């Protein structure tokens, strides 16, 4: 191999090395510009069903509503987990959400504003088979979705009655809203809609409150009357004793004391 050939070979080799380094540099630059891949919770994955973007976290052993859910999600499945409550603004970054499944969890509390931001688009909300006993109607404020509240240990009272009147129940779910406990024991084990057909819990509560206030006012009135009677009798007894004492005094002193006592009593 001549010297010229050796130099040419070295030049070609250096060119290939520079080319590879240049390609590697481009790849590194592109990698730094791309957004990082979202780390979904274990057991969660995105998919597409019937043209709708779906995010499934079914049976993923979740203990809270996950964050970083894709904000273009249309259907969200969080069923069969151990989520204990739904916090305020839990789904505020999901403006396109149409269906939300929270069934078969351990939800016992729903904060006011938990579904804030979903009022316009959400049309299906499943809260069946949880541990809901009592929930304020304000937690579902302005929500137009059809709600499934069946298979929860409900306390049948005025609060539940107000909630049922504030939401639209999902079809065939009303029979599953059963009184696990009640302000009236005879309602336990009965379907709530069957119970409120004959009982107005809120009206009963109002009557009970009114009676309690009336009893309290009567008690205070009786105490005041009793005190006045006692006060008058006590003064009369003191005046009688003083008059008897005056009778035992000399006549002149007695008359002046009597006039003083009578004016005091009057």
């Amino acid at each position: 191999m001549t010297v010229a050939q050796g130099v040419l070979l070295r030049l070609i080799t250096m060119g290939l090395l520079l080319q590879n380094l240049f390609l590697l540099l481009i790849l590194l630059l592109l990698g730094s510009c791309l957004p990082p891949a979202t780390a979904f919770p274990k057991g969660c994955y995105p998919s597409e069903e019937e043209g709708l973007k779906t995010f499934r976290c079914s049976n993923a052993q979740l203990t809270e509503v996950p964050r970083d859910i894709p904000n273009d999600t249309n259907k969200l499945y969080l069923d069969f987990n151990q989520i204990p409550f739904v916090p305020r603004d839990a789904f505020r970054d999901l403006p396109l959400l149409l269906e939300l499944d929270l069934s078969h969890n351990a939800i016992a509390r729903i904060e006011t504003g938990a579904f804030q931001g979903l009022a316009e688009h959400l049309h299906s909300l499943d809260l069946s088979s949880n541990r809901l006993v009592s929930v304020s109607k304000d937690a579902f404020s302005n929500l137009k979705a059809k709600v499934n509240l069946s298979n929860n240990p409900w306390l049948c009272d005025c609060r539940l009655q107000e909630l049922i009147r504030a939401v639209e129940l999902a079809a065939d779910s009303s029979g599953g809203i059963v009184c696990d406990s009640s302000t009236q024991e005879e309602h336990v084990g009965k379907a709530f809609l069957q119970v409120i057909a004959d009982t107005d819990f809120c009206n009963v509560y109002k009557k009970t409150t009114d009676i309690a206030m009336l009893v309290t006012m009567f008690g205070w009135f009786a105490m005041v009357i009793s005190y006045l009677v006692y006060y008058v009798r006590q003064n009369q007894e003191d005046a009688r004793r003083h008059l008897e004492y005056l009778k035992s005094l000399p006549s002149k002193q007695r008359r002046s004391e009597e006039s003083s006592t009578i004016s005091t009593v009057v």
Side-chain angles (χ1 to χ4, degrees):
M1 178 183 294
T2 64
V3 174
Q5 290 175 332
V7 171
L8 181 61
L9 183 61
R10 290 192 187 93
L11 290 173
I12 292 173
T13 304
M14 289 180 65
L16 290 173
L17 287 172
L18 288 172
Q19 183 180 1
N20 289 335
L21 287 172
F22 182 71
L23 289 173
L24 181 61
L25 181 61
I26 290 175
L27 290 174
L28 289 173
L29 289 173
L30 287 174
S32 63
C33 294
L34 292 173
T38 304
F40 298 132
K42 184 179 179 181
C44 299
Y45 61 92
S47 64
E48 189 165 325
E49 300 177 6
E50 300 176 352
L52 296 175
K53 293 187 177 181
T54 303
F55 193 73
R56 285 191 175 273
C57 290
S58 303
N59 201 18
Q61 299 182 350
L62 298 177
T63 56
E64 63 180 4
V65 176
R67 301 174 183 177
D68 299 324
I69 299 170
N71 57 16
D72 59 351
T73 298
N74 302 128
K75 300 169 71 174
L76 176 59
Y77 292 89
L78 301 175
D79 51 319
F80 289 95
N81 286 289
Q82 292 92 44
I83 299 172
F85 78 102
V86 184
R88 181 181 177 87
D89 294 326
F91 308 101
R92 66 178 179 180
D93 296 326
L94 302 175
L96 303 180
L97 196 62
L98 302 175
E99 296 182 19
L100 175 57
D101 190 346
L102 288 163
S103 66
H104 297 89
N105 273 279
I107 299 172
R109 179 166 59 92
I110 299 176
E111 293 184 354
T112 299
F115 306 111
Q116 189 168 306
L118 302 180
E120 294 301 321
H121 302 283
L122 192 71
H123 64 71
S124 176
L125 172 60
D126 194 345
L127 287 163
S128 64
S129 301
N130 277 283
R131 299 178 185 174
L132 296 171
V133 175
S134 183
V135 179
S136 170
K137 65 178 181 179
D138 295 334
F140 299 87
S141 180
N142 300 321
L143 204 62
K144 299 175 183 177
K146 294 182 178 180
V147 185
N148 188 342
L149 299 171
S150 62
N151 300 320
N152 282 280
W154 291 109
L155 166 63
C156 290
D157 61 357
C158 179
R159 203 177 195 202
L160 179 58
Q161 182 172 312
E162 290 180 338
L163 171 61
I164 296 300
R165 289 175 176 173
V167 301
E168 182 179 357
L169 296 177
D172 303 322
S173 69
S174 59
I177 304 174
V178 178
C179 301
D180 187 72
S181 57
S182 176
T183 52
Q184 300 180 32
E185 190 173 348
E186 65 269 20
H187 297 147
V188 175
K190 295 182 180 179
F192 185 66
L193 292 190
Q194 175 188 346
V195 170
I196 59 174
D198 302 316
T199 304
D200 187 340
F201 284 93
C202 296
N203 192 40
V204 169
Y205 175 78
K206 185 178 182 300
K207 286 182 178 179
T208 303
T209 304
D210 291 343
I211 291 172
M213 290 180 64
L214 184 62
V215 170
T216 303
M217 291 176 63
F218 179 79
W220 279 106
F221 182 74
M223 288 177 62
V224 171
I225 295 299
S226 299
Y227 175 76
L228 289 174
V229 170
Y230 170 80
Y231 180 79
V232 170
R233 287 182 177 177
Q234 187 67 31
N235 280 354
Q236 288 177 341
E237 183 66 22
D238 290 342
R240 185 185 62 78
R241 289 176 182 174
H242 193 61
L243 287 173
E244 289 179 354
Y245 167 73
L246 292 177
K247 289 178 182 180
S248 64
L249 296 176
S251 59
K252 185 179 289 187
Q253 183 180 357
R254 183 174 61 203
R255 279 195 295 271
S256 66
E257 290 285 346
E258 283 178 351
S259 62
S260 176
T261 301
I262 290 170
S263 63
T264 301
V265 171
V266 172

